Amino acid sequence: MNPDRPPEISPDELAEQEALYTPFTQAVRELVDATIRTTVDADAIRAAQAEVEAVTARLREQQVDGPLGAHFGHGRARQPWGNTVVGVRNPVAPPVHPEPAGDRLGEVHAEVVLGAAYEGPPGLVHGGVSSLLLDQMLGNAAAAARKPGMTAYLNVTYKQPTPLGPLRLEAWVERSEGHKTWARGHVVGPDGPTVEAEGLFVLPRWARELLAQRGATEVPPTFE
């Protein structure tokens, strides 16, 4: 990860960008869902393909080199809009919106609806998707506790199948020692927790060195 601060824009400019890209990205999500579930005839598929290819070519007329990264920022916060779980501009993201909750240290929760794009076994969420979501949630819990870090390990236990549809994600911090933070969380379905995870998050060396240079008076930058 590049430790440099991303380009800064004002909160108003940030809101304008979010208002622009949020519905656009949702439209692409709807396209993905329709692609999976459509039953139109072959001619309609070919016509739709030509239209999609034309739109893709139009968007590629001007684009960033490589991944989007933390492209926008204001104050300490970085905006990982390309993130595959929470990214405003990533149609692969469900998306997930972690919010503070509960009395436990760094506790966060999110409500999410997983549709056809996240299917593994018929009618069920792919196990890798559950792991992906919990990795993000545990990381957000660490950040909420003002102990952000990168995933060092993530242990996932599958308690029961996770059905597609509305789910609740919960995560919290168990303890923190220096630059290391341990967090737990789970996916909750209509019949209770379906997947549990516990992980270790470590503040990267570059961030620790940067804090040392600044006299350790600043909290590491968070991601929103």
Side-chain angles (χ1 to χ4, degrees):
M1 179 181 296
N2 187 345
D4 294 335
R5 189 180 296 273
E8 296 225 0
I9 62 175
S10 71
D12 287 343
E13 291 172 314
L14 186 65
E16 290 176 3
Q17 292 288 322
E18 190 166 6
L20 174 65
Y21 284 107
T22 296
F24 175 70
T25 305
Q26 181 59 32
V28 179
R29 281 191 200 100
E30 295 292 343
L31 175 61
V32 171
D33 185 76
T35 299
I36 296 169
R37 300 197 293 135
T38 186
T39 58
V40 298
D41 62 30
D43 288 341
I45 292 293
R46 295 188 185 98
Q49 178 182 341
E51 293 170 357
V52 170
E53 289 173 347
V55 171
T56 301
R58 186 187 314 160
L59 294 175
R60 289 202 184 280
E61 290 176 0
Q62 187 173 345
Q63 63 181 23
V64 299
D65 294 329
L68 188 61
H71 195 58
F72 300 112
H74 66 91
R76 285 190 309 105
R78 301 186 181 195
Q79 313 296 325
W81 283 4
N83 183 288
T84 194
V85 179
V86 299
V88 169
R89 293 183 59 175
N90 192 337
V92 175
V96 172
H97 301 291
E99 299 287 346
D103 298 325
R104 290 175 289 197
L105 179 64
E107 187 169 359
V108 293
H109 73 97
E111 306 291 336
V112 64
V113 178
L114 299 183
Y118 305 97
E119 187 174 46
L124 302 175
V125 177
H126 193 292
V129 172
S130 298
S131 178
L132 174 73
L133 299 183
L134 286 171
D135 184 19
Q136 180 70 42
M137 289 294 293
L138 268 61
N140 274 92
R146 301 178 73 82
K147 291 288 186 177
M150 306 286 285
T151 310
Y153 71 72
L154 185 72
N155 293 331
V156 180
T157 302
Y158 297 90
K159 310 293 288 186
Q160 60 175 311
T162 303
L164 292 171
L167 300 166
R168 182 177 176 85
L169 311 175
E170 299 176 344
W172 59 92
V173 167
E174 289 212 311
R175 63 189 174 96
S176 180
E177 298 177 5
H179 59 271
K180 297 181 179 181
T181 302
W182 287 262
R184 285 187 176 273
H186 49 220
V187 178
V188 182
D191 297 320
T194 62
V195 185
E196 298 177 347
E198 59 94 12
L200 169 63
F201 295 80
V202 177
L203 189 66
R205 183 183 301 275
W206 65 260
R208 301 200 301 271
E209 292 174 348
L210 185 62
L211 286 176
Q213 293 172 7
R214 294 176 176 174
T217 58
E218 295 184 26
V219 175
T222 58
F223 292 82
E224 294 182 350

